[in-house]
Amino acid sequence: MKFYFSTATCSTACHIALEELGLEYTPIEVSWKRDQNVAELNKVNPLGAVPVLITKQGKTLTQNAAILEYLADQNPTAKLLAEKDSFERNQTMSWVAFVASDLQKAFSPFFQSKEMADTESAQNQIKEFAAKKIHSLLDYIEQNLVGKDYIIGNHFTIADAYLFTILGWTKWVKISIVGHKNITSYMKRVFERPAVQNVLKKENLTDYLP
Ligand SMILES: N[C@@H](CCC(=O)N[C@@H](CS)C(=O)NCC(=O)O)C(=O)O
C-alpha cells in the first residue's frame, strides 16, 4: 500500500492506524511548503488533500473515515474496529464521523480566518465563535470519557487514532484542555502507546501532547 500523508495534519490519524495494525506500507510525505510530492498528490486526489491510500490492488481511497475503516479491516485480529454486524462497530464509526464532521471542521476557522474575512476584528470574531464551538465539543468528549480508557470503552480503536490526532490541535490554537481531566489523561494514555510514539517520531511531533 502507498500512504500519502503530511506531517501535523489529520493524516496522522491514518498513520497511527497503520502502525497500530502493523501493516506494510510505503509512506509518501507531502509538503506544500517545500513543494514535495504535491503534483503527485493532486493526481491521485483532485481535492489535493491528504490522507490518500493506494491499496495493494492499486485502488485509490481518500477521506480519513473511509481509510481508517479499510485499514482496520486489513487486520481484524488487532480489534481496532469490531466485526461487521456488531453494534460496537457502529459506535466506533459514529465517533469517527463525529471527529471528521464536527470536531475537525470546528478548527477550520482558526486556520482559514484570513480567507473568511478581510479585517482583523472580523477574523477574531470568527475565531471566537470557533473557540466556543470547540469548548462545547470538549465538554461533550469529556463526559463521554467518564470511566473509560478509550472513547468507546477499554480498548483502543480507529476512533481514538483520529480523536487523539485532532485533539492535539487544541495546543496550536491555544485552547487549553487542562480543565478537562478525562481528556488530559486520555491524551497522555494514547500518546504513550508505542505505535503512536513511532508515528510522532516519524512526523517530528514528539511534543504533540497539548
Ligand atoms: N474530509 C477530509 C479532510 C482532508 C483534509 O482536509 N486534509 C487536509 C489536512 S488535515 C489537507 O490535506 N489540506 C490541504 C489542502 O486542502 O490543500 C478527510 O477526512 O480526509
Side-chain angles (χ1 to χ4, degrees):
M1 291 187 286
K2 274 196 204 172
F3 172 57
Y4 290 81
F5 76 102
S6 186
T7 180
T9 71
C10 55
S11 60
T12 302
C14 293
H15 210 172
I16 290 173
L18 281 160
E19 291 286 328
E20 286 277 352
L21 291 158
L23 298 171
E24 273 180 37
Y25 64 100
T26 305
I28 300 172
E29 184 172 358
V30 174
S31 167
W32 290 274
K33 258 190 208 155
R34 299 191 298 273
D35 194 19
Q36 180 184 345
N37 294 322
V38 175
E40 196 180 322
L41 173 74
N42 292 342
K43 267 191 219 151
V44 290
N45 183 5
L47 293 177
V50 290
V52 178
L53 187 79
I54 313 292
T55 68
K56 276 191 209 154
Q57 293 74 27
K59 292 188 173 157
T60 303
L61 201 55
T62 61
Q63 301 293 326
N64 275 290
I67 297 172
L68 286 167
E69 182 183 27
Y70 177 87
L71 292 175
D73 285 339
Q74 302 309 300
N75 181 7
T77 52
K79 298 205 183 313
L80 259 58
L81 182 61
E83 65 275 17
K84 286 170 187 137
D85 297 328
S86 68
F87 192 62
E88 187 186 310
R89 185 181 179 104
N90 302 126
Q91 282 176 310
T92 307
M93 291 314 296
S94 169
W95 277 106
V96 169
F98 164 81
V99 178
S101 52
D102 294 291
L103 190 61
Q104 181 173 334
K105 283 294 136 192
F107 283 86
S108 299
F110 276 100
F111 305 131
Q112 291 167 336
S113 67
K114 288 196 174 120
E115 285 80 39
M116 288 174 163
D118 290 332
T119 65
E120 209 179 318
S121 77
Q123 290 162 11
N124 287 339
Q125 245 181 315
I126 289 170
K127 285 191 257 181
E128 269 166 41
F129 174 77
K132 261 190 209 153
K133 180 71 190 170
I134 292 171
H135 278 293
S136 77
L137 296 175
L138 289 178
D139 289 342
Y140 174 73
I141 297 164
E142 177 73 8
Q143 284 157 21
N144 277 280
L145 281 171
V146 173
K148 293 186 205 158
D149 283 349
Y150 296 103
I151 198 61
I152 66 141
N154 288 322
H155 70 275
F156 182 89
T157 66
I158 51 170
D160 297 298
Y162 200 5
L163 183 58
F164 169 82
T165 297
I166 306 301
L167 284 175
W169 295 3
T170 52
K171 183 166 157 176
W172 304 335
V173 302
K174 297 188 172 42
I175 289 181
S176 171
I177 59 157
V178 171
H180 296 93
K181 300 223 167 345
N182 297 324
I183 295 178
T184 304
S185 54
Y186 167 81
M187 289 302 281
K188 195 163 178 288
R189 188 173 304 117
V190 179
F191 179 80
E192 283 168 356
R193 293 178 67 84
V196 174
Q197 282 294 310
N198 269 348
V199 171
L200 296 180
K201 275 184 201 128
K202 286 181 189 189
E203 295 202 12
N204 271 324
L205 295 173
T206 45
D207 61 346
Y208 202 65
L209 217 47

